[in-house]
Amino acid sequence: MSAKIAAPGLFDAEIMKRASIDAFVKLDPRKLARNPVIFVTEVVSAVVTCFFIRDLLAHNGAAFFSGQIAAWLWFTVLFANFAEAVAEGRGKAQADTLRKTRSDTHAKRLIDPTGASGMKGVYQGVSALELKVGDVVLVEAGDLIPGDGEVVEGCASVNESAITGESAPVIREAGGDRSAVTGGTTVLSDWIRVKITAAPGSTFIDRMIALVEGAQRQKTPNELALSILLAGLTIVFLIVCVTLWPLALYSGTTLSITVLIALLVCLIPTTIGGLLSAIGIAGMDRLIRFNVIATSGRAVEAAGDVDTLLLDKTGTVTFGNRMADEFTPVGGVTEQALAEAVLLASLADETPEGRSIVSLARRTYDVAAPAFGSEVTIVPFSAHTRVSGVDLPGRSLRKGAVDAIVGEASSVPVDFERAVERISRAGGTPLAVAENGRLLGVIHLKDIIKPDIKARFAALRAMGIKTVMVTGDNPVTAAAIAGEAGVDDFIAQAKPEDKLAYIRKEQQGGRLIAMCGDGTNDAPALAQADVGVAMQTGTQAAREAGNMVDLDSDPTKLIEIVRIGKQLLMTRGSLTTFSIANDVAKYFAIIPALFVVAYPELDALNVMKLASPQSAILSAVIFNALIIVALIPLALKGVEYRPVGAAALLRRNLLIYGLGGLVIPFIGIKAIDLIISALHLA
């Protein structure tokens, strides 16, 4: 599969150009107020700029120093904005790709359902923008579906590559869990009537565009908590720097406002403050690259801590439509005779199962349907009778549910009972076939497991996630499917309220639950789960209830979702550790520079042997700005996740980002000091 929502490169030229402009637009204090650390940095940058202008006009020798400090402070603010703009720009580029799927589509709106046209109704050509919720439209082969809706009549093959990137068409039909269609997709064959369920501007594609652009991204609880921590640290260091001024006067040292501001900016957590938004946006961006649309940042974070996954069986673990797998004759009937009877009895069955039975009879037994005359009576399949068939002169053929057919049979052969039991134990669905009340054999309908799903569930197990399959099947059938799929547990004969009760019970025990589903009956569970992943092929109700939509309809996509969730948390934690550890080196650089005149003994703390107080302060400010630039790729790409224990992750985090945050600033500040001294900039 080639993802339609293409992920641009990390440093795409167009994104860089757009982000460079947006970095200046984001200087608007009303926009920066959402980020208290960078907002404070902008305010003090403006103050230092005012001092620079004053010194410059007064021909004060300090103008050169204050001008450099002001320039690097603005550089810090701009690159913090740039990091966020790059992350947002990647989403905007993906949104532009989605917009190309929209056009001024024309629709055939039903205006008279009793008309005399070929589709039993009269239709009016209108623009898709004129459609309202509740309108019914006709979509024929070659037409674009004009809006999100539910199929109310007909069956068609639909190309959804504009949404999913998958070229293989899917079947959409009235009733069941395959009735939802998305505006902008194309009908390839046949026709369908679609009832519009979303007004223009509120369609699935419109919501996707808003989400990938980040327009509706809300801060997650973890992100809010970290923002509060950073704001608290900013206030603490602001108080510290303000109180240093009178303390310095008491000790006989005069500190300039520019120097105090430089100290403040170096001490507050500008590194993580400048990258926090970019980390959150990039986490959702990484999901999009795996063809998953997250409608909630909270869900992305929760995915990192999920320990139980519930999966609806039909359409999630399995393909959903049961397919004919074999014919088993009984009572001395030959396979060829049974295949001929099955074909005749299934010609009026337009369900997916009925079509698969006809296909198997024709493909495997080379049976052809005869030409029927007026003396033949077709008995169409009915959900009420659960039987279909045909009445020929002297022959009455019936095919359907075992209990419905057996109830009309004259006798039940032992081999028939054995065949039914064998198919049921294998997880299949047996259908009986009879002629004039005599049982001829059994059809094995099999719910096909999605390929490679067992290995994927094993990978989830290795990540510490328990998989539970939920199905309405009987326990015997459920056990067979669960064994074949490789899930850890299953819940059989489950009703929607049973799924909901299970999730609530597990959540009360402190577990974080993920739910994958595609049907309307899964909607309550998807809404209750901490991470609700709805399949794109599912119903509108399921897609709206979940907080993620998997465009590939792959239930094991949770592996990627969990990895991205853990990666988001690890990236945020790692860079926070690095940012706070950075301050240690800055203490050794700036504090001696501030008070070495009054207290010569503090020169012992100048372990980096920086050239001068001015050079020390300028070096710390420059390093503080450049480290944000250096960490932008890591914030966007994310810290690599490895499936190891929490203790091992903590040790690795402290070793790399804690120790690295201590050592790198010493090296960086000293290197910058050497350059400044060589160029005589301070």
Side-chain angles (χ1 to χ4, degrees):
M1 192 203 79
S2 60
K4 190 68 177 180
I5 309 178
L10 192 61
F11 291 109
D12 179 83
E14 187 60 33
I15 290 177
M16 293 296 104
K17 180 180 178 182
R18 181 187 294 184
S20 300
I21 297 172
D22 288 346
F24 286 92
V25 174
K26 289 177 178 290
L27 290 175
D28 184 344
R30 293 169 297 181
K31 297 181 182 292
L32 272 188
R34 296 179 291 110
N35 190 334
V37 178
I38 303 304
F39 176 72
V40 168
T41 306
E42 182 184 40
V43 171
V44 297
S45 299
V47 172
V48 175
T49 302
C50 292
F51 282 113
F52 163 66
I53 295 172
R54 182 202 64 181
D55 295 340
L56 188 65
L57 294 176
H59 302 288
N60 191 325
F64 183 60
F65 177 72
S66 59
Q68 290 182 87
I69 295 294
W72 284 106
L73 291 182
W74 282 115
F75 184 89
T76 302
V77 176
L78 284 171
F79 265 88
N81 290 346
F82 180 77
E84 183 177 16
V86 169
E88 290 177 350
R90 289 161 65 84
K92 289 176 181 177
Q94 293 158 350
D96 290 341
T97 301
L98 283 171
R99 283 193 178 93
K100 293 177 182 177
T101 66
R102 300 192 308 181
S103 60
D104 188 12
T105 308
H106 292 283
K108 303 169 186 174
R109 182 168 57 191
L110 177 67
I111 58 174
D112 181 7
T114 62
S117 73
M119 293 301 171
K120 299 180 182 177
V122 176
Y123 295 86
Q124 175 189 30
V126 297
S127 168
L129 299 177
E130 298 178 30
L131 295 175
K132 300 182 179 65
V133 174
D135 284 348
V136 176
V137 296
L138 169 68
V139 191
E140 300 175 287
D143 292 347
L144 281 175
I145 296 175
D148 292 358
E150 296 279 344
V151 179
V152 294
E153 185 180 347
C155 176
S157 175
V158 179
N159 178 4
E160 294 190 340
S161 61
I163 305 298
T164 66
E166 180 59 66
S167 58
V170 295
I171 300 299
R172 291 289 178 261
E173 56 191 343
D177 290 343
R178 295 291 182 274
S179 60
V181 290
T182 305
T185 56
T186 306
V187 171
L188 299 178
S189 66
D190 303 293
W191 61 271
I192 49 177
R193 276 182 176 175
V194 177
K195 182 178 181 180
I196 300 298
T197 57
S202 304
T203 65
F204 184 66
I205 288 183
D206 289 315
R207 295 200 306 273
M208 286 172 63
I209 290 171
L211 289 166
V212 298
E213 283 186 323
Q216 295 182 7
R217 194 189 79 88
Q218 301 297 320
K219 286 190 176 182
T220 63
N222 181 284
E223 196 173 352
L224 285 171
L226 187 54
S227 296
I228 292 171
L229 172 64
L230 299 182
L233 289 174
T234 301
I235 293 171
V236 168
F237 284 119
L238 183 61
I239 294 172
V240 168
C241 290
V242 169
T243 55
L244 272 179
W245 191 63
L247 288 174
L249 288 178
Y250 178 77
S251 64
T253 302
T254 302
L255 298 179
S256 70
I257 301 298
T258 299
V259 169
L260 285 175
I261 286 175
L263 174 64
L264 171 65
V265 173
C266 288
L267 294 185
I268 63 177
T270 50
T271 304
I272 185 62
L275 298 174
L276 185 60
S277 294
I279 293 169
I281 295 170
M284 298 183 76
D285 169 67
R286 284 191 290 275
L287 267 184
I288 292 168
R289 281 181 277 159
F290 283 101
N291 264 13
V292 177
I293 299 294
T295 60
S296 164
R298 179 192 296 264
V300 181
E301 281 190 359
D305 294 319
V306 160
D307 44 33
T308 302
L309 168 63
L310 265 69
L311 306 107
D312 177 56
K313 185 205 77 173
T314 306
T316 306
V317 175
T318 66
F319 280 110
N321 291 332
R322 296 170 299 173
M323 311 295 289
D325 187 60
E326 65 171 328
F327 300 148
T328 304
V330 300
V333 177
T334 65
E335 287 191 29
Q336 191 69 24
L338 175 60
E340 292 174 356
V342 166
L343 177 68
L344 292 171
S346 302
L347 288 175
D349 186 355
E350 289 299 323
T351 64
E353 292 85 355
R355 291 193 290 269
S356 75
I357 292 170
V358 172
S359 176
L360 179 63
R362 288 173 171 168
R363 183 179 67 251
T364 306
Y365 298 96
D366 197 25
V367 179
F372 292 137
S374 59
E375 70 280 2
V376 173
T377 302
I378 298 293
V379 179
F381 175 81
S382 165
H384 178 69
T385 63
R386 295 176 297 154
V387 170
S388 68
V390 62
D391 289 333
L392 303 168
R395 299 179 70 189
S396 177
L397 295 168
R398 295 292 185 271
K399 176 245 13 178
V402 171
D403 55 346
I405 298 296
V406 168
E408 301 295 329
S410 55
S411 62
V412 181
V414 175
D415 52 353
F416 177 86
E417 293 179 336
R418 289 174 180 169
V420 170
E421 183 178 357
R422 174 181 61 82
I423 292 170
S424 297
R425 287 189 177 278
T429 301
L431 296 181
V433 184
E435 179 179 354
N436 297 333
R438 176 197 172 199
L439 292 170
L440 301 181
V442 184
I443 303 169
H444 182 181
L445 291 182
K446 187 176 182 181
D447 213 351
I448 307 298
I449 300 293
K450 291 185 176 180
D452 302 325
I453 201 166
K454 191 168 187 176
R456 301 277 284 172
F457 285 151
L460 284 169
R461 193 175 301 111
M463 297 172 71
I465 298 175
K466 177 183 177 182
T467 52
V468 181
M469 184 185 76
V470 184
T471 176
D473 289 339
N474 62 70
V476 173
T477 301
I481 296 290
E484 186 178 354
V487 296
D488 298 314
D489 200 359
F490 66 89
I491 303 173
Q493 297 177 328
K495 299 183 289 295
E497 52 267 30
D498 296 328
K499 302 175 189 178
L500 198 59
Y502 181 89
I503 292 175
R504 287 174 174 169
K505 179 182 176 183
E506 292 294 302
Q507 287 173 332
Q508 288 172 359
R511 295 182 178 273
L512 285 178
I513 309 298
M515 169 73 188
C516 290
D518 68 336
T520 301
N521 63 336
D522 297 323
L526 286 168
Q528 178 66 35
D530 300 285
V531 181
V533 185
M535 303 294 105
Q536 162 65 10
T537 55
T539 62
Q540 189 77 11
R543 294 191 303 192
E544 291 180 355
N547 44 35
M548 293 186 187
V549 178
D550 176 15
L551 302 181
D552 297 327
S553 299
D554 177 5
T556 61
K557 188 70 70 66
L558 190 74
I559 294 175
E560 281 75 26
I561 294 173
V562 168
R563 283 176 178 162
I564 290 168
K566 290 183 181 296
Q567 189 180 44
L568 173 65
L569 295 174
M570 287 176 59
T571 303
R572 193 176 291 156
S574 298
L575 293 184
T576 300
T577 302
F578 185 89
S579 179
I580 294 175
N582 264 231
D583 283 351
V584 175
K586 296 168 189 174
Y587 296 144
F588 283 94
I590 297 181
I591 298 299
L594 294 180
F595 295 100
V596 70
V597 175
Y599 302 102
E601 298 83 359
L602 286 177
D603 190 55
L605 295 179
N606 185 15
V607 295
M608 290 179 278
K609 302 302 178 183
L610 303 178
S612 67
Q614 290 81 7
S615 175
I617 294 169
L618 187 56
S619 297
V621 170
I622 293 174
F623 176 84
N624 195 65
L626 293 180
I627 197 63
I628 294 178
V629 180
L631 291 175
I632 287 176
L634 181 61
L636 296 178
K637 187 177 180 181
V639 175
E640 182 183 358
Y641 165 69
R642 295 175 182 174
V644 296
L649 282 175
L650 179 61
R651 285 195 300 270
R652 177 173 175 266
N653 187 46
L654 290 176
L655 179 64
I656 296 176
Y657 297 97
L659 184 59
L662 286 172
V663 174
I664 290 176
F666 280 94
I667 299 172
I669 291 173
K670 179 59 179 177
I672 295 170
D673 176 73
L674 292 174
I675 295 172
I676 289 174
S677 300
L679 297 176
H680 303 290
L681 297 177

